[in-house]
Amino acid sequence: MPINVPIDMPIDVPIAMSPSHLSNRPRILFLGKEILYNPSIYKRLLSQFEIVQPSLQDLQREPFMQHLREGTWGDFQAIMRPSWHSGNEMERWDSETIELLPRGLKVFASAGAGYDWVDTACLAKHGILYCNGAGASTEAVGDMALHHIISVFRNMSQSASAARSLCPEAFLAAHHSLPATSYNPRNHTLGIVGLGQIGFVVAQKAYMACGMKILYHDIVRKPLEQEQSVKATYFENVEDMLRLTDCLVLATPSTFSGRPFLTADVIALLPRGARFVNIARGSLVDEDALANALEDGHLAAAALDVHADEPRVCERFARMGNVLLTCHTGGGVVETRVGFERLAMENVERVLLGLEPLTPVNRHLMREDNVGNGHGESDTVNGHSNGHGDTYGEEVNGSST
């Protein structure tokens, strides 16, 4: 549902407390900078819980872990990270970090839809529920995906570069030559890996705006009514889908291990002249394999909003006219920031009050008697875990705001 902004007018609220002044109310460890968009929700949290907000210097990996060892912030029951741009100065949340968390910790709620930076399976093993910002960036990432899809069919990257060159010869060359290799997306097949919230919005936009034929692969087939709304065809075997795909879009999470999906073998299954769009995670792509396929003509074009070694972009792609590159801004709109902030706070609030979380990620890895009960054991369910708490079709691209 669209979020109207601004949601709140700024108010003066305390943003940090010393453990020596805390009561016996449930305690939240607040990671990151102050609340910007939803101060009334934050004020509500302050009325119910104790909130401890470490300095950004204390969030660097070594100081942060030392504070956990020493119990500086006490036995907090929740971790809240409302902004994607701060609060993760310690970088990857691996077993080394997670093992130091209090045994009574119930929930870790963070901004961002992607979660390849946190070992959600390890959190589940310790009985800690992880909640992301699913849904907050869906519309924005869907719009970016549509822009990228149109771009790879219409050679937008080359056209824009020629115009910006201020060179009349380059302008005329693009004007005369690009139409020979440009196509309307209409009636072409769009193969989507991962039909979660974002993947489905991409399908809706491509189907309704461009008249594309929707193919998809996901670990779980979607309801028939949902498929029929975009006339989507489901492929249990992703290889079968790839062989019929004119433009491939990745809309699936990366794993904590960073295992790529798009490899040379996968690319070889696509028809010659196919196009590729990534609005998910850069780690899903073997960039050398993709560059090779673009250079030898097996792939006609690519559009990448995410990159394997951000903030560094592959130099081979930067030299290619048929590759559109953007700076992981798929979800980069104010509405996304508002939603991320709100969801992080509301997820923490709901779990601490014994209510259902809004956007749980790793619940399928946890035993029911341990959900939200702190450290405990966990199990995978129906094979839907890939060993890192990630499944096809979850939200993606969360770090773009």
Side-chain angles (χ1 to χ4, degrees):
M1 184 175 180
I3 303 169
N4 295 318
V5 293
I7 285 191
D8 290 318
M9 295 298 291
I11 59 175
D12 293 325
V13 292
I15 60 173
M17 298 182 181
S18 168
S20 63
H21 296 94
L22 300 183
S23 69
N24 292 323
R25 292 184 295 172
R27 186 174 303 171
I28 300 171
L29 187 67
F30 177 174
L31 306 181
K33 297 181 180 179
E34 66 277 2
I35 297 299
L36 295 178
Y37 302 105
N38 300 278
S40 65
I41 299 177
Y42 185 65
K43 190 174 183 179
R44 189 173 74 219
L45 292 185
L46 284 169
S47 72
Q48 302 173 86
F49 313 110
E50 303 293 351
I51 299 178
V52 181
Q53 186 179 17
S55 69
L56 296 183
Q57 290 79 7
D58 286 337
L59 298 185
Q60 300 296 324
R61 186 172 181 86
E62 289 307 317
F64 184 74
M65 294 177 67
Q66 187 60 33
H67 281 299
L68 290 178
R69 294 186 189 98
E70 296 173 355
T72 303
W73 303 305
D75 293 325
F76 47 89
Q77 287 75 49
I79 298 175
M80 179 177 76
R81 181 193 171 205
S83 170
W84 184 258
H85 288 288
S86 66
N88 195 33
E89 284 72 14
M90 73 291 298
E91 299 180 342
R92 290 172 69 81
W93 283 71
D94 51 19
S95 59
E96 184 182 22
T97 306
I98 294 169
E99 292 289 342
L100 298 175
L101 297 172
R103 294 190 62 81
L105 181 61
K106 297 179 179 182
V107 58
F108 181 175
S110 177
Y115 42 86
D116 51 337
W117 53 276
V118 57
D119 192 338
T120 55
C122 186
L123 286 175
K125 179 181 177 181
H126 291 82
I128 303 167
L129 190 68
Y130 180 77
C131 299
N132 68 348
S137 61
T138 299
E139 188 71 15
V141 179
D143 287 345
M144 181 67 87
L146 185 62
H147 165 67
H148 279 47
I149 291 165
I150 295 172
S151 294
V152 294
F153 277 97
R154 294 295 309 276
N155 292 319
M156 293 299 189
S157 179
Q158 296 100 310
S159 182
S161 295
R164 287 183 177 276
S165 73
L166 303 181
C167 174
E169 290 78 12
F171 184 101
L172 290 173
H175 177 71
H176 291 298
S177 66
L178 291 182
T181 56
S182 297
Y183 294 87
N184 290 325
R186 185 171 297 276
N187 294 324
H188 284 85
T189 56
L190 184 71
I192 303 174
V193 178
L195 205 72
Q197 291 188 47
I198 287 177
F200 183 64
V201 166
V202 173
Q204 287 180 310
K205 292 176 184 291
Y207 171 73
M208 292 189 287
C210 297
M212 299 191 76
K213 299 175 182 178
I214 307 302
L215 319 176
Y216 81 97
H217 167 76
D218 198 292
I219 199 166
V220 177
R221 184 170 183 173
K222 304 307 171 185
L224 184 61
E225 181 179 0
Q226 185 176 355
E227 289 182 347
Q228 290 178 339
S229 69
V230 292
K231 296 185 179 178
T233 302
Y234 172 68
F235 288 82
E236 183 176 3
N237 186 331
V238 69
E239 295 183 359
D240 293 338
M241 183 193 79
L242 293 172
R243 295 185 178 97
L244 301 174
T245 295
D246 295 323
C247 180
L248 177 66
V249 174
L250 294 190
T252 186
S254 173
T255 66
F256 187 69
S257 66
R259 185 174 63 250
F261 168 81
L262 193 79
T263 61
D265 290 339
V266 169
I267 293 171
L269 295 172
L270 292 165
R272 187 169 183 82
R275 293 155 176 84
F276 173 67
V277 170
N278 190 9
I279 44 84
R281 279 291 186 266
S283 59
L284 290 168
V285 175
D286 179 335
E287 292 190 334
D288 283 333
L290 176 57
N292 291 340
L294 289 162
E295 287 176 348
D296 68 23
H298 186 79
L299 294 182
L304 310 172
D305 184 50
V306 288
H307 311 274
D309 190 28
E310 294 179 8
R312 289 162 288 277
V313 173
C314 175
E315 291 184 10
R316 295 177 69 185
F317 295 148
R319 293 193 296 265
M320 294 179 181
N322 58 342
V323 180
L324 174 69
L325 300 170
T326 50
C327 300
H328 203 152
T329 51
V333 297
V334 171
E335 290 90 341
T336 298
R337 291 187 172 194
V338 172
F340 280 166
E341 190 180 87
R342 176 181 60 80
L343 283 169
M345 291 190 287
E346 290 186 345
N347 272 309
V348 162
E349 179 183 40
R350 293 179 68 86
V351 172
L352 292 182
L353 293 177
L355 303 174
E356 285 294 311
L358 298 172
T359 56
V361 167
N362 61 346
R363 189 164 191 165
H364 64 292
L365 300 176
M366 303 172 70
R367 281 192 352 210
E368 284 301 313
D369 57 349
N370 278 324
V371 174
N373 290 324
H375 289 224
E377 297 300 320
S378 66
D379 298 298
T380 56
V381 179
N382 296 327
H384 289 179
S385 166
N386 61 15
H388 295 277
D390 302 316
T391 55
Y392 285 127
E394 298 285 353
E395 289 291 349
V396 295
N397 205 282
S399 65
S400 58
T401 62

